[in-house]
Every structure is written in structure tokens, then in C-alpha cells.
Amino acid sequence: MLNGKRILLIVAGGIAAFKSQELIRLLRKRGAAVRCVLTEAGAEFVTPLSLQALTEDRVYSDMFSLTDESEMGHIQLSRDADLLVVAPATANLLARMAAGLADDLASTVLLATDKPVLAAPAMNVRMWTHAATAANVATLRGRGVAFVGPNEGVMACNEFGPGRMSEPEEIVAAIEALLAKGRPLAGKRALVTSGPTREAIDPVRYISNHSSGKQGHAIATALACLGAEVTLVSGPVAIADPPGLKVVKVESADEMLAACLQPGAVDVAVCAAAVADWKAARPASAKLKKKPGAAPPSLELAPNPDILATLSKAGPKRPKLVVGFAAETENLVANAVDKRRRKGCDWIVANDVSPAAGTFGGERNTVHLVSAGGVEEWPTLAKEEVAARLADRIADHLGRPRPAAAAE
Ligand code: CTP
């Protein structure tokens, strides 16, 4: 419920603006008071009158209106809310937010606010995937702006892909989660590895494993939801990139290590990837062919770099907190305790990856958290819940702001 919460809803110019009306209805049903800022472009899609009727409050649009500025200055408007929600957040408004422009009431209010901001992007798929938008979203995430969506689907322009604004129910859920949790990782940088690696034997064959990337991707999303600026380094996976994060796609362990060393200093590194321990010592440049009557070729292996151990022993560049995973099929806890010591990381999330446990590719995970303080057994949870719990623990460890500070 959102009883007594004050939401300032900024409606920018996109076809998804029609969904903002349903969003207002749902928010008010949950007890929130909603006040709207409508941009000039937004007014091409919804009328101030309909927003006014739904909010039962006046709608603010004009930066230089004498009435607005005398009754409710833009500073006051931005402060007199518990949360600012930008829905739809167009590519243009995100770019102006990232650049710190204050050239209309919406952007000025967003620049002037000291309250949490949630953006629900909505735009054409090519605009969403454009490097400029990705950079703007990363910049805003780094400043603590939270994102919900966009979803993937057929768009108003008949193209398919990510760019559809989240449904009003999803935005409400994100608002409730945000108001409940705050943004304890705002301003913190996180690195997450996820998925398997692929080690080429020849141009058509490789060594790999069953990792789906679901757990690592969920952790990246959970950290971002708490406000962290996340770089997700992912091996080849079949799942979608989490929206709004910096995603670096790699194939081999060597590439994954190089990508992990790129972002520079990070506050926390979570190595959830199932990195292949070995690679072909000499990958063939052409496809290996069967020779009639000849014995099968033997494969000479060479060790891969250990990314977790490298980050854990990075000297002054070591992240403040390094979290590894232990994928085990037997002696789970004992192996994990030993692994934590050998790799030099702070925490190990130990999970059973024997086929009976259904961890690889499955939706749920049963983990133990191993730290210097001991071993904690967690119940079987959805991978998203494991991720949310871990992100919460990371926020506690990195110094969650005191509730009074977070609420104000
Ligand atoms: N890891 C890594 N680089 C490697 C191997 C593993 O960064 N070359 C990381 C994984 O991301 C995970 C942790 O180390 O966080 C443990 O991975 P796991 O596969 O359980 O252990 P291994 O190091 O491969 O050891 P073993 O094969 O003996 O279980």
C-alpha cells in the first residue's frame, strides 16, 4: 500500500503516455496522492484535463507561469513529494536529465529534486539500444536513478524489441519496492560476472558448461535496483540483457578477465559466472577434420585465469567486497569454505549444481552464504529472491545509510 505517499508523476511525450492515466488510477487506489507535471510533448498525447480529473489536483506544465511560481515554485514541487516517477521517460527526457538540462518544468524539477527518481523508459527499440541512450541510462543509474523496464514486445511503430513502457502494475510494484527499500547503493559501483564462458577448440567447437546466467543477471538487476551503477560482464547466454545496466558480452575466460579489469575501481564484485577452468592449449584456426582410420584427436588443455582470485588479490585496486560462487556437486559447505580461503574472496555463495538440484537453468536456488563469520543456510528461493537478499546484505556491508537519512 502507498497510503499517504506523495508521487510526482512526470508525463513526457510518448504514445505510452496513455498508460500513465491507468498508473494514476492504480496509485490513487493504493492510497497515494499523485500530482502531475506534463511536458509540452506529453500534452500532445494526453490532455491536462484528463490528468487533472484523475489526480484531482491541478496539472503543472509551465515553467514561467506566474501562478505556478507563486503558488508552487518548481523547487517546492520537486521537494513536496516522496518520489518522482517519470513515465513515460522518453529518450529525449533521459538525455536532458543525464546532461543536467533545466529547459522546461519537468527537467528543472528533476534537476532540483533531492528525492528518489524512478524512470519507466518508453521509446522505439533503436532509440533504446542506441549507444547514446545506453550511456545516458548508465549515467543516470550511477546517480541513483532507478529504472523499471522497458519491456520487450511489438511497439507502436510495429518494430519488435525492448522499448515498450512497463505495464502500470509493474510500475506500481517498482514504486512500492523503491519506497520500501530506499536506494542504499546509490553512488556505489558494482561488477557482476554471469553465464558460462566458451573456450574455442576450433572455429566450430568449444568447451563450455550449463550455466544459464539467470542467477548472475538477477544479482546485477538487484544491485541496480538498490541504486548501484552496475557493469554486468556476461558470457554467452540465451536470456535478455537486464535493462539499464552496462552489459559487456564476452566469450572466453580471457575476454571475461579483460572486461572485469576495465571498469577500474568498483565497490563490490560478484563473480557468479561459471568460468571454464581450462581452455584448449592450441585452438585450431580451421575446423578439425576426421581422417579415415585415424584415432580421435586428443585435446591438450591449458588453465584459464581465475577471475575471482585475480580480483580478490588486486592489491590497492581490490573491490571493498568480493563475492564468489561455489558450484559444487558434493561436500558443498566444506568445499565452499576451502574455496573462500584459496581464492581470497570475502564471501562465497555456495550452491549445489548436481543435476538433481536443478540449479543450472532452473528458476530456484538453495544456497549457503559462507563468510569469515561462518556459514548461513538460506531456504530454497527463486533466483531473483536470492539476488535480492544478497544485494541487501551487500548494501548492509557497504554501509547502508541510516533509515532516517534514507527516508528524508
Ligand atoms: N571463477 C573464476 N575464474 C575461474 C574459475 C572460477 O572467476 N577461472 C570463479 C567463479 O565465478 C566462482 C568461483 O570462482 O565465483 C568458484 O567457481 P567454481 O567453478 O565453483 O570453482 P573452481 O574455481 O572452478 O574450482 P573447482 O573446479 O575446483 O570446483
Side-chain angles (χ1 to χ4, degrees):
M1 287 305 279
L2 292 165
N3 283 335
K5 295 291 179 197
R6 294 157 307 166
I7 312 282
L8 183 67
L9 176 64
I10 295 174
V11 180
I15 192 83
F18 78 92
K19 288 195 205 171
S20 305
Q21 303 183 76
E22 174 64 3
L23 177 60
I24 296 169
R25 207 184 58 75
L26 292 178
L27 289 170
R28 295 207 61 203
K29 216 170 127 191
R30 280 169 172 74
V34 186
R35 176 168 273 164
C36 280
V37 170
L38 181 63
T39 68
E40 198 182 336
E44 299 289 329
F45 295 88
V46 285
T47 66
L49 201 58
S50 50
L51 297 183
Q52 191 169 302
L54 285 164
T55 56
E56 293 185 271
D57 198 347
R58 52 166 308 188
V59 172
Y60 296 83
S61 316
D62 194 352
M63 178 73 184
F64 299 108
S65 150
L66 284 177
T67 342
D68 287 0
E69 283 301 294
S70 60
E71 286 176 2
M72 170 64 74
H74 58 271
I75 304 290
Q76 191 57 33
L77 196 55
S78 71
R79 300 281 164 83
D80 196 20
D82 297 298
L83 175 70
L84 273 62
V85 178
V86 190
T90 57
N92 179 43
L93 185 50
L94 291 175
R96 282 156 56 225
M97 285 165 73
L101 294 185
D103 55 356
D104 69 354
L105 185 62
S107 54
T108 307
V109 162
L110 284 159
L111 194 63
T113 193
D114 56 356
K115 295 296 160 64
V117 178
L118 173 72
M123 64 196 76
N124 166 273
V125 57
R126 283 168 217 278
M127 292 168 83
W128 174 250
T129 51
H130 195 287
T133 305
N136 291 333
V137 169
T139 300
L140 292 169
R141 271 199 183 287
R143 293 185 197 143
V145 173
F147 282 81
V148 51
N151 292 342
E152 198 168 87
V154 180
M155 319 199 51
C157 50
N158 271 333
E159 287 191 61
F160 181 86
R164 279 167 65 109
M165 188 168 90
S166 294
E167 295 306 319
E169 293 79 6
E170 295 174 292
I171 301 175
V172 170
I175 290 171
E176 284 178 335
L178 198 56
L179 286 173
K181 275 184 176 174
R183 315 260 309 141
L185 291 176
K188 304 276 188 230
R189 301 183 74 214
L191 170 72
V192 179
T193 71
S194 184
T197 64
R198 258 181 207 173
E199 312 299 331
I201 296 171
D202 69 14
V204 296
R205 302 176 178 96
Y206 55 80
I207 301 168
S208 192
N209 58 64
H210 293 297
S211 170
S212 64
K214 283 181 188 164
Q215 186 64 81
H217 279 49
I219 292 167
T221 301
L223 291 169
C225 282
L226 295 191
E229 181 192 345
V230 181
T231 301
L232 172 64
V233 180
S234 175
V237 292
I239 56 176
D241 293 349
L245 310 187
K246 181 174 183 208
V247 183
V248 183
K249 293 185 182 172
V250 298
E251 291 261 328
S252 66
D254 285 317
E255 286 173 14
M256 188 172 271
L257 176 62
C260 286
L261 297 176
Q262 267 297 313
V266 296
D267 298 282
V268 55
V270 181
C271 293
V275 183
D277 291 318
W278 301 286
K279 59 187 166 191
R282 278 174 291 282
S285 55
K287 186 183 172 195
L288 295 171
K289 303 292 286 180
K290 293 186 290 293
K291 297 201 177 71
S298 57
L299 187 61
E300 193 190 331
L301 297 175
N304 260 329
D306 191 314
I307 298 161
L308 176 61
T310 307
L311 294 174
S312 297
K313 295 168 188 166
K317 289 193 180 148
R318 186 190 195 277
K320 290 187 194 84
L321 181 66
V322 183
V323 184
F325 268 67
E328 306 292 344
T329 55
E330 52 194 2
N331 303 327
L332 178 70
V333 172
N335 282 343
V337 168
D338 181 55
K339 208 166 264 183
R340 189 182 87 84
R341 186 187 48 75
R342 272 191 292 121
K343 304 245 183 183
C345 58
D346 301 295
W347 301 348
I348 283 268
V349 181
N351 55 1
D352 182 352
V353 292
S354 54
T359 305
F360 271 145
E363 301 303 328
R364 297 171 78 75
N365 206 351
T366 312
V367 308
H368 289 72
L369 183 65
V370 180
S371 67
V375 180
E376 266 178 46
E377 187 179 347
W378 289 6
T380 301
L381 297 167
K383 287 182 174 175
E384 288 77 9
E385 287 177 76
V386 171
R389 268 192 180 215
L390 186 64
D392 263 344
R393 297 295 291 270
I394 290 170
D396 286 340
H397 184 86
L398 292 180
R400 186 189 287 275
R402 280 174 291 117
E408 264 316 297

